[in-house]
Amino acid sequence: YRRGPWLAKLAGAYVYGEDDGTRSSENWWALGRGERLFTARDYAFAQVLVESDDFADLEYRVAPVAGYGRVLIKNVRTELKAEVGGGVSIEKRDGLAETSDLIAWIAVHLEHKLPKGAVLKVDADVRPNLEDTDRTVSVLDARIDCPVCGTVDFLWKDNEYEEVEEEAKNCQHG
């Protein structure tokens, strides 16, 4: 959501996987973030990231962070931003006491428009733990978002689900 120089963002994900009926992954994260533009290229941000990962024995990690961001490249197809900041990491792992440490925040965000409406998005961040380097966190999230042309409807008919695909009219991506 953007209004004037302010931007508000909520995001999250849940990942669950099974291999031959056995749970092989389960983690989630949620982000609340605000930005305040100062110029077309400079902004301040504040965010809270909450995450959990059963297979890493991470019950939870809460990381409020604030900092400064700069748009390094912005043109019709590409936007590249870099951020620096600091905050706190509050972490609880299975069988261990909760910890609370100062952290730094270093991040880059890339969005690049590809043909047919697809967008390459790469987010990388490093959260150096300033009190215990063994708890430094690094994250790389790379994906391609593609537009969907058409709709898929699931119908309940005769006690069964039936998938019905429909062509989108005037689709520019096909």
Side-chain angles (χ1 to χ4, degrees), residues 8 10 19-20 22 25 31 44 46 74 100 103 113 116 124 128 133 145 153:
L10 295 174
D19 187 19
D20 292 328
T22 303
S25 66
L31 172 75
K74 186 168 186 166
S100 179
I103 60 170
K113 294 179 184 170
K116 297 188 178 184
T133 57
D145 293 344
D153 290 330

Side-chain angles (χ1 to χ4, degrees), residues 47-162:
Q47 68 182 32
V48 176
L49 177 64
V50 181
E51 54 196 326
S52 176
D53 188 336
D54 282 355
F55 284 84
D57 293 329
L58 178 65
E59 289 183 33
Y60 61 84
R61 181 183 298 123
V62 180
V65 174
Y68 165 79
R70 174 118 176 121
V71 178
L72 303 174
I73 298 171
K74 186 168 186 166
N75 58 43
V76 175
R77 295 186 59 198
T78 305
E79 180 175 85
L80 176 65
K81 300 191 287 187
E83 297 176 346
V84 295
V88 176
S89 178
I90 303 159
E91 184 176 296
K92 173 73 172 88
R93 292 193 174 268
D94 291 343
L96 299 174
E98 181 181 272
T99 60
S100 179
D101 299 316
L102 294 175
I103 60 170
W105 171 268
I106 304 160
V108 293
H109 310 284
L110 170 70
E111 282 195 22
H112 181 72
K113 294 179 184 170
L114 300 170
K116 297 188 178 184
V119 179
L120 169 67
K121 295 182 178 181
V122 179
D123 295 305
D125 69 77
V126 179
R127 296 172 239 159
N129 189 308
L130 303 177
E131 298 178 39
D132 185 347
T133 57
D134 288 341
R135 289 198 298 266
T136 291
V137 176
S138 301
V139 177
L140 174 63
D141 178 15
R143 64 194 181 278
I144 296 176
D145 293 344
C146 299
V148 175
C149 278
T151 60
V152 177
D153 290 330
F154 294 94
L155 301 176
W156 183 257
K157 182 178 176 185
D158 298 326
N159 294 325
E160 293 181 356
Y161 280 110
E162 182 179 326

